[in-house]
Amino acid sequence: RMSSVAALAEAAGMQCAMISSTAELVARLRSQDSERCASMIVALGTSKEDSCWPALAELQAAPPHKQIFPIVLSRTAAQDVQTRLKCFDTGAKMVTDCLPAVGEALSKIAGCLTSQGQFACPVCALPGLSEEALRTHMFLHHSTEPNPENIACP
């Protein structure tokens, strides 16, 4: 599935870095390379070496990662409500087993990042968003989070 995900990312105009271990992914998220990361697509995993949980926890622990869109691509997680809810509680923004849905999400994320606008996200401060890109970004990135307090609508 990694090659299919890479093709979807490229079709959306994004570069893809394929990482096969949890430790490598967490190290990459802790590095400067994470500033260029728009999305993270992980499998649920079957062992400690390839589990998605440490990577999702890393995204929640570090505020600069609020702009990364984590997707759990897993049939098990998509079909089991408790696992799906655990994924969302741990920071996933999307849980699916459908590759075309991943492609659509990546296209929307790329559209937000390439928009040319005057708005910044009031939650994570992503700059340069058009009005439509801000709406899409808020829906995709922040709809699973509690409503922020004391934030004015731009």
Side-chain angles (χ1 to χ4, degrees):
R1 281 182 104 159
M2 268 213 252
S3 59
S4 297
V5 169
L8 292 170
E10 290 175 15
M14 302 170 117
Q15 292 181 337
C16 182
M18 293 192 281
I19 299 170
S20 58
S21 77
T22 300
E24 184 183 354
L25 178 56
V26 170
R28 179 75 64 97
L29 289 172
R30 291 178 179 166
S31 75
Q32 295 289 36
D33 285 346
S34 70
E35 293 175 5
R36 296 183 2 207
C37 183
S39 182
M40 174 183 81
I41 302 161
V42 295
L44 192 59
T46 57
S47 69
K48 187 175 182 177
E49 288 75 32
D50 66 359
S51 170
C52 70
W53 305 117
L56 292 172
E58 180 68 26
L59 288 178
Q60 278 194 318
H65 298 311
K66 277 209 171 280
Q67 297 171 357
I68 296 176
F69 189 79
I71 300 171
V72 175
L73 180 59
S74 165
R75 178 170 288 126
T76 301
Q79 293 179 346
D80 182 74
V81 71
Q82 288 183 325
T83 304
R84 190 170 56 249
L85 290 173
K86 182 178 178 186
C87 289
F88 288 128
D89 286 345
T90 311
K93 304 294 184 197
M94 179 177 179
V95 178
T96 187
D97 67 343
C98 178
L99 285 170
V102 171
E104 184 177 342
L106 293 176
S107 292
K108 288 180 179 186
I109 293 163
C112 289
L113 295 175
T114 58
S115 75
Q116 307 247 333
Q118 62 186 13
F119 299 105
C121 174
V123 177
C124 68
L126 180 65
L129 299 171
S130 67
E131 185 176 337
E132 181 64 22
L134 176 60
R135 186 195 65 75
T136 301
H137 170 81
M138 289 293 293
F139 175 75
L140 285 173
H141 284 76
H142 305 297
S143 64
T144 61
E145 300 170 4
N147 289 332
E149 295 182 24
N150 301 323
I151 291 184
C153 179

